[in-house]
Amino acid sequence: MAISAFIVDVPAAEPRVADLRARFDATAALGVPAHVTVLVPFMDPDKITPAVLAEAQRALDTICAFDFSLDRVGRFPETAYLAPEPAAPFVEMTMALWRRFPEFPPYGGEHAGVIAHLTAAHGSAANAEAAAALLEERLRAQGPVQARCASVTLIENSSGVWKRMQVFPLRDAGR
């Protein structure tokens, strides 16, 4: 089934997580970069029209670009991740898009809340535990990842590989 998703690319995190994602996160092999998920799943890419893209931009126009750091390791049962600080703007983006597109709740409605995170390992508790230990070591040795969120990217997978579909710039705080 074809699918799309809104993400925030975090290229600054690639040096810390690329090897872990290659080993422990199947989406890396499908073209998904290091990212913080904003909204997944979103609609079938064939149904994304210019009007849908315009609505998504209007929703995201409520959010200003911001700096953040990835400075803490977190865990879900089968996932290890880096947690962004501040997390609130990521959650605000998710909620803004969900308000515009209520038929697409975050994570298909599987979870009660939204926890912003950059996945380094997903799929097994043992792999997540191993990845979390390595992430902790890397944070101690190298400090937090510093990044800026200035846009949100809509990616799609209609062919078995994820591809960029549209980039939505966030407004500058001074505008």
Side-chain angles (χ1 to χ4, degrees):
M1 179 176 115
I3 186 175
S4 61
F6 291 93
I7 65 169
V8 171
D9 284 317
V10 188
E14 289 289 354
R16 304 282 177 86
V17 301
D19 64 321
L20 297 174
R21 292 185 69 241
R23 287 172 51 203
F24 303 131
D25 182 2
T27 67
L30 299 177
V32 179
H35 69 282
V36 176
T37 300
V38 175
L39 184 67
V40 68
F42 193 55
M43 66 178 62
D44 182 316
D46 289 340
K47 295 182 177 163
I48 297 175
T49 64
V52 169
L53 297 173
E55 279 298 307
Q57 183 65 65
R58 277 193 285 282
L60 293 168
D61 280 344
T62 64
I63 311 297
C64 291
F66 60 97
D67 295 322
F68 66 98
S69 63
L70 298 165
D71 59 0
R72 181 177 62 80
V73 176
R75 286 284 312 277
F76 301 130
E78 296 185 346
T79 303
Y81 64 86
L82 290 172
E85 180 59 40
F90 293 103
V91 176
E92 289 171 22
M93 287 186 278
T94 300
M95 301 313 283
L97 286 165
W98 187 19
R99 281 190 296 275
R100 290 280 176 161
F101 303 99
E103 65 275 29
F104 299 102
Y107 301 101
E110 288 182 32
H111 308 290
V114 175
I115 298 173
H117 62 283
L118 187 147
T119 298
H122 177 73
S124 100
N127 289 345
E129 186 175 324
L134 288 167
L135 288 170
E136 291 283 2
E137 286 177 23
R138 291 173 186 181
L139 285 177
R140 277 193 300 277
Q142 301 167 22
V145 174
Q146 302 296 330
R148 178 150 183 85
C149 176
S151 63
V152 174
T153 302
L154 178 62
I155 60 175
E156 64 88 15
N157 184 341
S158 55
S159 65
V161 176
W162 288 90
K163 298 176 185 167
R164 291 176 191 270
M165 192 171 185
Q166 179 83 18
V167 175
F168 302 90
L170 299 179
R171 64 186 172 95
D172 290 330
R175 287 201 303 179

